[in-house]
Each structure stands twice: as structure tokens, then as C-alpha cells.
Amino acid sequence: PNITCSENFNYHHGLIDSLWSQVVEEDFQDDFFDDSFSWLEDETIWAEDTTISEDVLLEGIGMCLSHLMDSVTEKGHHFCSISSQNKDYFDTLSKVYGRAKFIHVIDDPREAVLEKNITDPEEIKKYLLEWSQSIELVRSQCESLDQNYIEMTIPLLKKYPKEEMARLLAFLGQTWEEEVIDELANLDSIQALGTLSNEQASIIEGNIGELLTNFGFELSHPS
């Protein structure tokens, strides 16, 4: 009841990308910044040269994001950003917000294989490697977050709704009512088992079958 959720709140993605690319990776351009970035006009920043320290940059990002989130969050509520892109920014956002909690919902790689219609065996293996590496990258970035990072999957949430909801809400430090579980029936489940070709399924499960099982994903040919 005291969490304001925003789906695809991409402002922090754009802000981080813009500031890092414009200030860190490219030549500084005065005309890029408007009044929202007046903090950059502090002459002490430019005492010796035009290099902005990471601490100053992160502070600026934090100030801007705080203003944005305050404008869309009810008073006294916690802000929750839901986006598939968030995991790409966990590292920076953890530096901006030291108390933020990060929930990594791990996707089923078969969704991308179906969506992108990947049929070439080598391309499938390449994607599976990228998928595995992306998980490890997020884990490595969040290793220092200790109790502020957890992983979840939709299959486990649907299979063990009470246990997973209890784990999630305890992680967030929130109370909840079991009526919330009724909403889990509306979660989409991929029909991968019936639409993947035998060859696609065989390649995927032969390479990462054990990992999929550990995450709660069903296999088409369980051993």
C-alpha cells in the first residue's frame, strides 16, 4: 500500500546515458545542459580543467533523479521502477542510491530465441552465452550490495506464490495480504515448450538445461 510503481520509468536510463556520454566520453558542450543541470555551473568544478569527477557526476544524477521521482511518487511512498533495462544500470544506480534495493527478474532465454526466430545452432549457442554472461555481469556488479539484491523468476513465483511473495516482501521490508496472490494468475507464461522446434529445444537444454531447471523453468524433455 505504500509503494508507488512506475513501469518503464526510463528517465534514469536516459539521464545516466546522456551525462556519461556528454561529460565523460565526449567533449563537454555547454549547449547540451539546460536549467536542470545548473549544478554543473559551479565554478569550483572547473578550477583546473573541465574534467568532472565521478563523485560530482553521481551526485548530480542523484539530485536529478530524486527530483524526478518525487514528482511522480505519492507523499510517504517508496518509489519502484519496473523495467527490463534496469539491470543494465544497477551498478550506477547502486552508487547513486546506497539504500536502494534491486530485484533481478531473470528471463527465460527461450523467449528471445522465439521472438528473434533464431534457428542457426551456432547463433543459438552465441545467444545462450550472452544470456549467461549478462546474469554473471549483474551478479558481479551487485556483489557488494549484500542484502540489497535478490533474484527471482516468474515460474518459481507462480509455482510457490506464498513462499516467493513472502521472500520478496520481506526483502522490501513490507507487509502484504494473501489476496495479492490472486493477481499472480494473470502473469504471462511463455509457451516455449510447444513452439520451439525439437532442434532449438535440444540445443538450449543441452547447453543450459541444468541452469534453467535451477531457475524453475520447465524443460521440454525433463530427465
Side-chain angles (χ1 to χ4, degrees):
N2 62 338
I3 297 179
T4 296
C5 295
S6 176
E7 190 168 359
N8 295 319
F9 181 80
N10 295 323
Y11 295 105
H12 54 242
H13 306 152
L15 180 60
I16 291 171
D17 282 343
S18 295
L19 284 175
W20 281 117
S21 62
Q22 291 289 334
V23 180
V24 177
E25 299 174 5
E26 301 176 9
D27 293 334
F28 176 72
Q29 300 176 19
D30 289 328
D31 58 358
F32 172 78
F33 298 97
D34 56 22
D35 292 340
S36 297
F37 303 96
S38 59
W39 58 276
L40 286 170
E41 297 175 4
D42 184 348
E43 293 184 359
T44 60
I45 298 176
W46 318 107
E48 297 294 334
D49 51 41
T50 58
T51 301
I52 301 179
S53 70
E54 181 175 300
D55 289 343
V56 172
L57 188 56
L58 290 172
E59 181 182 359
I61 292 174
M63 291 168 61
C64 293
L65 288 179
S66 292
H67 179 73
L68 283 170
M69 290 188 291
D70 286 345
S71 69
V72 297
T73 306
E74 295 182 42
K75 185 176 181 181
H77 278 214
H78 298 292
F79 180 82
C80 175
S81 169
I82 305 171
S83 171
S84 60
Q85 297 182 43
N86 281 342
K87 64 182 181 181
D88 298 328
Y89 299 86
F90 279 176
D91 186 40
T92 301
L93 288 172
S94 68
K95 295 176 183 176
V96 173
Y97 298 110
R99 293 183 299 161
K101 294 181 180 290
F102 299 89
I103 305 167
H104 184 187
V105 181
I106 296 174
D107 61 300
D108 189 331
R110 295 172 292 187
E111 291 188 29
V113 172
L114 286 171
E115 183 179 343
K116 299 176 182 179
N117 193 27
I118 306 174
T119 57
D120 180 76
E122 293 306 314
E123 287 298 314
I124 293 176
K125 293 177 183 178
K126 178 182 177 182
Y127 174 73
L128 296 178
L129 177 61
E130 293 173 351
W131 176 81
S132 301
Q133 290 176 335
S134 69
I135 294 175
E136 291 306 317
L137 178 60
V138 173
R139 286 175 171 175
S140 65
Q141 291 178 344
C142 297
E143 189 174 1
S144 62
L145 298 183
D146 194 24
Q147 301 301 313
N148 286 347
Y149 170 80
I150 65 169
E151 295 175 349
M152 302 192 74
T153 64
I154 299 302
L156 285 179
L157 183 59
K158 295 194 73 171
K159 187 174 183 179
Y160 306 106
K162 290 185 179 181
E163 294 83 351
E164 288 294 282
M165 283 299 298
R167 184 169 72 94
L168 173 62
L169 274 296
F171 169 73
L172 296 175
Q174 303 292 316
T175 58
W176 64 293
E177 298 177 356
E178 291 198 8
E179 285 78 1
V180 175
I181 293 179
D182 295 336
E183 297 298 322
L184 298 182
N186 298 324
L187 290 175
D188 292 333
S189 291
I190 183 174
Q191 302 300 315
L193 304 183
T195 51
L196 282 173
S197 70
N198 287 334
E199 182 181 22
Q200 287 173 311
S202 178
I203 294 171
I204 293 171
E205 295 172 15
N207 282 267
I208 59 169
E210 183 177 354
L211 188 57
L212 289 176
T213 301
N214 291 340
F215 285 138
F217 297 115
E218 280 190 46
L219 302 184
S220 56
H221 303 291
S223 56

